[in-house]
């Protein structure tokens, strides 16, 4: 990889242009309809225009229909850079959507206007997941501008809907365009990591989001005996669900924390006055379960605990899974893990190690169809937080790593 030196130099000299692309992308909110936004359409159009202007020619847009979104679609972009060989392809996948900024008073600046300060870019989406997106784009651009051809076909994918379950993103692509994804291909997802860029995520906890609807009977606060307190029953249920941590308590040190978690989270408003016994309650739990356990078996136990609470409080409890993901691990011997580890050592002197995470990524979706995926990046992990930031040097360093992977 003698040409890697000049390509790395090109990337380092592209600092200003990388910041400009981050600034452009941040200025266009791409928020899901579930979170009060219009989706990714405007951001995708701006990105496509930028890509064409900078010499990318093979750009495919796969639109998932969503009547709630602008123009009724959620765009997914695939950029192809031909390589010397196509016996396998290197895919680098990032998502365009972002979460809402949350409490604006917690921000020190406008979330949608990039601020450069102390070697960082501050703004919503700059780390999650625009850093990975921009790093990938400039890795490919560096090869193109220096007349270098990737050793194998490169596919850059910029997806919709990652923050709300990937129904219109990766799940859509797998369902409607399954033939695109070959098992022999290498899949890199720069959407998680650590400041040194030394951890490669190869496994995820099984993920289950549960929404519980407890139906009782409303009454006056002074006459609880006339009603069936849905809030009381739901509170008892939440403690029983949390207690599953003591039942499914095996540990796997690949993960942090190394055990399964069953945590009560969102609870919707029920009554409008303190002196009303609620007859209706909606509460939710976020469950992150080590792969040792089968999700369906756990859901049977959840139903049993609902039955106990129903009988105790004379209520009815319905529940549904709002998200349910379970996937096999990527073997540590998989080519993407081995090649990435090799490049990190050669280019940056970093000794990589494999880990598992509790969070969910599109890597789990790919693993479910037999495609080995690695999640890796250099991050401070400030995604979703106020004053989210991207370390500029991390973005450049990751771009160099991706360029080396393309050449390897």
């Amino acid at each position: 990889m003698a040409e890697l030196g000049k390509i790395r130099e090109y990337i380092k000299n592209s600092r200003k242009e990388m910041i400009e692309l981050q600034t452009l992308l941040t200025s266009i909110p791409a928020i899901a309809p579930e979170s009060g936004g219009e989706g990714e359409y405007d951001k995708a159009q701006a990105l496509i225009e930028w890509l064409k202007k900078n010499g990318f020619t093979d750009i495919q847009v796969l639109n998932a229909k969503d009547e709630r979104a602008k123009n009724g679609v959620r765009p997914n972009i695939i950029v192809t850079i031909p390589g010397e060989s196509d016996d396998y392809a290197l895919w680098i996948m990032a998502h365009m959507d972002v979460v809402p900024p949350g409490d604006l008073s917690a921000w020190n600046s406008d979330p949608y206007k990039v601020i450069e300060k102390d070697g960082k870019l501050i703004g919503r989406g700059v780390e999650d997941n625009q850093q990975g997106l921009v790093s990938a784009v400039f890795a490919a651009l560096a090869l193109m501008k220096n007349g270098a051809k990737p050793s194998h076909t490169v596919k850059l994918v910029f997806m919709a809907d990652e923050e709300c379950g990937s129904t219109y993103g990766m799940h859509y692509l797998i369902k409607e365009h399954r033939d695109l994804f070959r098992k022999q291909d290498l899949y890199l997802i720069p959407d998680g990591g650590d400041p040194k860029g030394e951890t490669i995520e190869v496994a995820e906890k099984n993920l289950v989001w549960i929404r519980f609807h407890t139906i009782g009977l409303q009454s006056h606060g002074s006459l609880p005996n006339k009603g069936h307190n849905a809030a009381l029953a739901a509170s008892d249920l939440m403690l029983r669900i949390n207690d599953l941590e003591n039942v499914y308590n095996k540990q796997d040190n690949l993960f942090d924390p190394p055990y399964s978690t069953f945590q009560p989270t969102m609870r919707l408003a029920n009554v409008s006055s303190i002196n009303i016994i609620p007859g209706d309650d909606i509460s939710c739990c976020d469950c992150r379960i080590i792969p040792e356990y089968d999700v369906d078996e756990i859901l049977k136990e959840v139903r049993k605990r609902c039955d106990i609470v129903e009988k105790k409080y004379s209520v009815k409890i319905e529940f549904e899974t709002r998200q349910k993901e379970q996937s096999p691990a990527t073997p540590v011997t998989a080519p993407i893990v081995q090649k990435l580890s090799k490049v990190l050592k050669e280019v940056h002197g970093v000794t990589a190690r494999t880990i598992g995470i509790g969070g969910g990524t599109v890597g789990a979706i790919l693993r479910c169809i037999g495609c080995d995926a690695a999640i890796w990046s250099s991050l401070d992990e400030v995604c979703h937080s106020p004053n989210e930031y991207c370390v500029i040097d991390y973005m450049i360093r990751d771009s160099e790593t991706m360029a080396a992977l393309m050449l390897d």
Side-chain angles (χ1 to χ4, degrees), residues 95-99 124-131 162-163 191 379 382-384 388-389:
H95 61 87
M96 295 181 287
D97 60 318
V98 301
V99 296
R124 177 54 85 221
V126 293
E127 184 185 78
D128 186 19
N129 189 212
Q130 289 165 199
Q131 178 182 319
E162 191 274 345
E163 297 291 2
D191 195 17
L379 302 173
V382 292
C383 60
H384 298 201
E388 176 185 350
Y389 65 83

Side-chain angles (χ1 to χ4, degrees), residues 1 21 81 212 243:
M1 293 193 291
L21 181 54
I81 300 95
F212 296 92
D243 178 64

